[in-house]
Amino acid sequence: MIKNIIKIVFGCCIVLLFLHCKNEGEKDNFSKSEMENEKSDKFYHYSIWHAFVNKIFEGDITAAEVKANGDIGLGSYNLLDGELIMLDGELYQAKEDGTVVIPNDTTKVVYANATFFDVDDSFELESVADYETLRKHINRKLSSKNMFYAFKIHGEFKRMKCGGLHKQAKPFNDGLDILIPNRPIFERENFSGTMVGFFCPEFIGDINASGYHLHFISDDKEFAGHVMEFEAKNLKIEIDEIHEYQFVLPQTEAYKQVGFEKEFQYKKQ
Ligand SMILES: [Zn+2]
């Protein structure tokens, strides 16, 4: 399938940052080992974070396409019908009523981040009081704030607070800046699960969420959502450093016509 793909390749060569724009045809020149390396170390990103604010709530890729581009990930489904969580190659849909289901391969996705996870570094924490404490610990492990990172973090959660999304219907009245402060909140105590997500550098701007963005799925697959706050113990933090970024734009009419006018009115979490 032909898509408009802007590929930004960040290659770090000691002190030089090379920026390449490649098209799909150039892949033919890659050796087999280069292709395998590319698959394992690519940050796949569909749609623009800032489009949510401007009420772009329908995408044109499917759940199957997200799975073809990674085995962990996060995002949202069309009409904001739940938070998207991908763990170990399986997609989950955390609905607005708090239930968690496995979507069909044909279910449409409005926004997604994904990667094929491979562990570059890992460490363990016996006790973590809150999200901010975890961020500080991970910050010390990151080799640079100018790279992309994926995380897989399993542990026991004394408490976990996740955000969901209210499903929207046309005509769309409110952007994400209005919807997020009024999002459904789900809380659970004393259970285990996995946080999956990403760190994006500040320079990502309005294209994606900068800083940390984590989603969660419980081991029993009955509780999931966007990580807001937690208290945890026995966390195993696995980190995948990523140097390549694949940015895929929607080809919907609504996306083609949208003006990116509004700014976020809430603090990104
Ligand atoms: Zn989220």
Side-chain angles (χ1 to χ4, degrees), residues 14-243:
I14 307 178
V15 294
L16 295 177
L17 186 70
F18 294 103
L19 188 69
H20 299 285
C21 291
K22 295 181 183 297
N23 60 42
E24 289 294 289
E26 285 182 87
K27 281 182 180 173
D28 296 340
N29 298 325
F30 287 3
S31 70
K32 190 169 182 288
S33 62
E34 283 172 326
M35 287 292 284
E36 285 169 354
N37 185 48
E38 181 190 44
K39 183 181 177 185
S40 66
D41 217 12
K42 183 183 72 180
F43 188 127
Y44 171 82
H45 172 200
Y46 172 72
S47 195
I48 294 183
W49 181 252
H50 200 54
F52 278 139
V53 181
N54 291 282
K55 300 181 280 187
I56 300 298
F57 295 149
E58 291 177 293
D60 58 355
I61 63 164
T62 62
E65 284 175 79
V66 176
K67 287 193 281 189
N69 283 284
D71 53 17
I72 69 148
L74 56 76
S76 178
Y77 296 92
N78 272 20
L79 304 178
L80 305 187
D81 187 14
E83 298 278 358
L84 180 155
I85 305 100
M86 181 160 61
L87 175 65
D88 299 330
E90 186 72 81
L91 270 179
Y92 301 93
Q93 185 173 9
K95 310 273 273 187
E96 68 177 324
D97 64 358
T99 58
V100 181
V101 299
I102 294 176
N104 296 324
D105 278 351
T106 54
T107 302
K108 290 285 183 65
V109 171
V110 67
Y111 164 80
N113 290 175
T115 193
F116 288 101
F117 194 81
D118 57 326
V119 183
D120 292 325
D121 193 10
S122 72
F123 65 103
E124 294 181 11
L125 293 171
E126 266 184 33
S127 167
V128 177
D130 53 27
Y131 199 165
E132 180 58 25
T133 303
L134 178 66
R135 280 193 285 254
K136 283 179 181 167
H137 280 287
I138 297 177
N139 281 343
R140 288 198 281 268
K141 294 282 182 180
L142 304 185
S143 67
S144 166
K145 285 291 186 70
N146 300 329
M147 297 293 185
F148 295 88
Y149 298 89
F151 306 102
K152 202 161 138 179
I153 305 168
H154 184 266
E156 298 166 45
F157 292 84
K158 189 175 177 193
R159 57 186 179 86
M160 168 58 83
K161 179 179 173 184
C162 282
L165 293 164
H166 287 299
K167 187 177 179 182
Q168 301 298 297
K170 288 182 179 177
F172 305 130
N173 295 316
D174 300 322
L176 203 67
D177 53 328
I178 305 293
L179 297 174
I180 285 292
N182 300 304
R183 74 194 311 172
I185 306 286
F186 306 107
E187 295 182 76
R188 188 171 162 183
E189 296 183 348
N190 300 315
F191 67 125
S192 57
T194 307
M195 297 188 284
V196 292
F198 301 89
F199 171 88
C200 289
E202 201 63 43
F203 62 68
I204 205 69
D206 291 330
I207 292 172
N208 207 342
S210 61
Y212 292 91
H213 186 185
L214 298 174
H215 283 194
F216 177 83
I217 179 89
S218 60
D219 283 354
D220 62 15
K221 309 295 190 279
E222 290 181 355
F223 183 94
H226 170 99
V227 174
M228 297 181 74
E229 195 49 84
F230 61 84
E231 183 178 349
K233 61 180 183 177
N234 300 324
L235 287 186
K236 184 180 183 187
I237 298 103
E238 295 177 299
I239 304 174
D240 181 7
E241 184 173 308
I242 305 171
H243 312 128

Side-chain angles (χ1 to χ4, degrees), residues 240-253:
D240 181 7
E241 184 173 308
I242 305 171
H243 312 128
E244 187 175 351
Y245 198 85
Q246 181 182 1
F247 183 27
V248 181
L249 296 175
Q251 297 182 70
T252 62
E253 207 49 44

